[in-house]
Amino acid sequence: IMGLYSRLVDEGSWPVIGQGPALSPGMSDPRVPKIRSLLSLTGDYEWNVTNSPVYDQQLSIAVQRFQQRHGLEAKGLIGKQSIIAMEVKPDERVKQIMLNMERWRWMPDNLGDYHILVNIAAFELQRVQSSVIVERMNVVTGAVATQTPEFSDEMEYVELNPTWTVPYNIATGEMLPKLRANPSSYAADFDVFMNGSLTSWDSIDWNAYGPGRFPFTFRQRPGPKNALGKVKFMLPNVHNIYLHDTPAKDKFASTSRAFSHGCIRLSRPIELAHTIIDTIPGWSAGRLDAVLASGQNTKVILPRKIPVHLIYATAFKGENGIEFRPDVYGRDRKLYNALFGRPSS
């Protein structure tokens, strides 16, 4: 794979496509022959290269392969993002591959025969059994301002119908201004604790408190509006990062999914809960569904901890060859500067 991109660097010619109207199959455009020859170089187009300006079915298949490898919506519509990805030069791709090979050197030698891998840069969770990816699931990761860190840990328990303890910065930055206007803004779904003791929302003069003077903890009760949805997967760690459901399903429709405060939101959390819990002695699919339906906060300890690895891979091996993702957090740039002695600003 590295050889393919190194060879393209040596050959030195890389078609410049240029932005223009979005292209869909059947359209004719002078950029089409350039796209065909570029996708022939990357190995996505495997037929005879012609100079026809018509976007035909063979090119559509190649475009969808390319889009799938670059984490783009793979429907064959060539828009701005596809052109941007096509115009990344081979020497940049070689650099990207090299940086990600360096990252793999930092990983534990043994990831676990059965483990969960979350690629933050690809917004994807993989369940891996005996080196085979048995499931791929879309996830939402931390926004650029609240980035998800890279680390390895172990999943120890699953919480059904979880409560959500509001982080201090959200409580003081987002909720406190609303409470000053209306002390019972959150009473329907949240409990408030003062110095650890349950108290009532109306008994507090919220104007008297602020960041630095805030003896309160806000906890959201289980329910349909709970920020963690119906299930969370706990791998206790110093970063306070975990995997969870979410009531905000619309975010999974985006191809770039860096939206959260740092934790990992799962697109199919109930499925993952069944996969992990159904075979535990004393549990079954029916019991799990019944507990979820009851709304009762329930903790399920895992008899065998599951290794979980949070990685940041912008180049990795996929089903159709090497896959690339944008450097959403700018970590490739920092790593390159660290390795090759450039200022890391």
Side-chain angles (χ1 to χ4, degrees):
I1 288 166
M2 185 79 154
L4 165 70
Y5 285 90
S6 299
R7 194 171 70 247
L8 293 173
V9 171
D10 294 341
E11 289 168 4
S13 59
W14 194 247
V16 177
I17 310 299
Q19 290 290 354
L23 299 172
S24 54
M27 289 174 71
S28 185
D29 189 286
R31 293 171 295 163
V32 166
K34 294 179 187 173
I35 293 170
R36 200 177 279 114
S37 74
L38 185 147
L39 296 184
S40 173
L41 292 172
T42 60
D44 296 296
Y45 185 89
E46 54 190 344
W47 300 273
N48 290 330
V49 177
T50 72
N51 280 323
S52 166
V54 177
Y55 183 2
D56 58 17
Q57 189 183 5
Q58 289 173 331
L59 182 55
S60 174
I61 292 166
V63 166
Q64 288 177 63
R65 267 184 206 156
F66 178 89
Q67 289 171 328
Q68 189 266 327
R69 290 194 305 110
H70 291 77
L72 299 163
E73 189 173 30
K75 291 187 174 173
L77 180 72
I78 306 173
K80 185 181 175 187
Q81 295 307 319
S82 292
I83 300 288
I84 289 170
M86 286 176 187
E87 291 193 332
V88 174
K89 300 274 191 293
D91 56 338
E92 283 295 311
R93 293 305 188 197
V94 167
K95 192 163 86 175
Q96 214 174 340
I97 293 166
M98 183 184 65
L99 292 172
N100 284 280
M101 287 168 72
E102 173 66 18
R103 283 196 181 98
W104 274 110
R105 286 183 39 210
W106 313 339
M107 293 292 290
D109 290 338
N110 181 5
L111 299 182
D113 183 54
Y114 177 71
H115 67 268
I116 288 171
L117 187 82
V118 176
N119 184 350
I120 302 160
F123 313 109
E124 182 180 78
L125 175 146
Q126 299 178 353
R127 281 196 307 111
V128 182
Q129 177 78 59
S130 307
S131 303
V132 175
I133 299 169
V134 293
E135 182 179 17
R136 298 175 77 157
M137 182 187 299
N138 286 346
V139 303
V140 165
T141 59
V144 173
T146 50
Q147 298 180 13
T148 302
E150 298 155 72
F151 65 95
S152 293
D153 216 303
E154 291 181 315
M155 189 184 297
E156 298 182 13
Y157 66 92
V158 179
E159 202 172 315
L160 308 175
N161 303 308
T163 59
W164 177 50
T165 300
V166 180
Y168 178 84
N169 58 334
I170 298 176
T172 55
E174 296 176 26
M175 295 173 72
L176 181 58
K178 292 182 183 172
L179 287 165
R180 286 173 177 159
N182 174 10
S184 55
S185 312
Y186 297 98
D189 299 302
F190 290 79
D191 291 322
V192 55
F193 297 84
M194 185 171 185
N195 297 318
S197 298
L198 185 65
T199 183
S200 78
W201 292 97
D202 301 342
S203 64
I204 298 152
D205 175 10
W206 293 104
N207 291 298
Y209 298 96
R213 183 166 185 260
F214 199 77
F216 305 103
T217 305
F218 301 159
R219 193 170 72 195
Q220 191 177 24
R221 295 187 286 274
K225 294 182 188 171
N226 189 284
L228 308 182
K230 295 186 77 66
V231 58
K232 71 174 177 177
F233 303 84
M234 295 301 291
L235 38 146
N237 59 81
V238 294
H239 311 283
N240 197 25
I241 297 293
Y242 45 86
L243 284 52
H244 65 89
D245 181 15
T246 173
K249 307 292 187 194
D250 57 315
K251 300 293 189 199
F252 295 106
S254 305
T255 50
S256 181
R257 296 186 291 277
F259 297 114
S260 82
H261 283 90
C263 287
I264 312 289
R265 302 179 195 165
L266 307 178
S267 56
R268 300 195 312 278
I270 305 301
E271 266 182 51
L272 185 62
H274 275 293
T275 302
I276 290 171
I277 293 173
D278 287 0
T279 56
I280 295 176
W283 282 89
S284 65
R287 183 182 173 197
L288 175 53
D289 287 337
V291 172
L292 287 171
S294 76
Q296 286 295 310
N297 177 253
T298 306
K299 190 171 173 178
V300 184
I301 307 285
L302 306 186
R304 281 178 54 198
K305 295 176 185 177
I306 301 171
V308 179
H309 307 282
L310 274 57
I311 67 166
Y312 185 84
T314 58
F316 54 95
K317 185 173 174 287
E319 281 125 12
N320 293 321
I322 189 153
E323 297 197 17
F324 295 103
R325 296 294 184 271
D327 182 18
V328 63
Y329 291 163
R331 291 181 187 174
D332 280 0
R333 190 181 68 248
K334 283 188 174 158
L335 177 56
Y336 184 82
N337 292 336
L339 290 173
F340 299 103
R342 308 283 164 83
S344 62
S345 61

